[in-house]
Amino acid sequence: MDIPDSDVAKPDDWDDEDNEEWKPSMINNPDYKGPWKAKQIANPDCKGPWVHPMIPNPDYVYDEKCIPCALMVAHT
């Protein structure tokens, strides 16, 4: 990230009407340490990524006439 150079002053003979508005030269910001990233802290209660439980569904009935079901079987 660049910032204006504070050591540079507008020249005495600079004319804004003839030369446009004066802008100081830019220098690298010495305080810039790269993009900000949030710090991660350890969570002692974390058990890893959540995995959904696979439970049986007694009401499920496979329907061969179902178009999405037929497509899924054809692509597997």
Side-chain angles (χ1 to χ4, degrees):
M1 299 297 291
D2 293 335
I3 59 172
D5 188 357
S6 60
D7 295 335
V8 178
K10 182 177 179 178
D12 294 332
D13 61 344
W14 189 269
D15 185 9
D16 286 337
E17 291 179 14
D18 292 338
N19 302 328
E20 298 181 359
E21 181 181 351
W22 183 81
K23 296 177 186 171
S25 59
M26 304 297 273
I27 60 169
N28 288 333
N29 185 350
D31 295 331
Y32 181 69
K33 295 175 177 64
W36 181 83
K37 291 196 287 188
K39 293 181 181 177
Q40 295 244 317
I41 57 173
N43 180 357
D45 297 330
C46 181
K47 297 176 182 140
W50 182 77
V51 178
H52 62 85
M54 297 296 289
I55 58 174
N57 182 355
D59 298 330
Y60 175 75
V61 177
Y62 180 78
D63 183 6
E64 299 230 0
K65 296 178 185 173
C66 174
I67 292 174
C69 292
L71 290 174
M72 287 182 359
V73 170
H75 290 296
T76 57

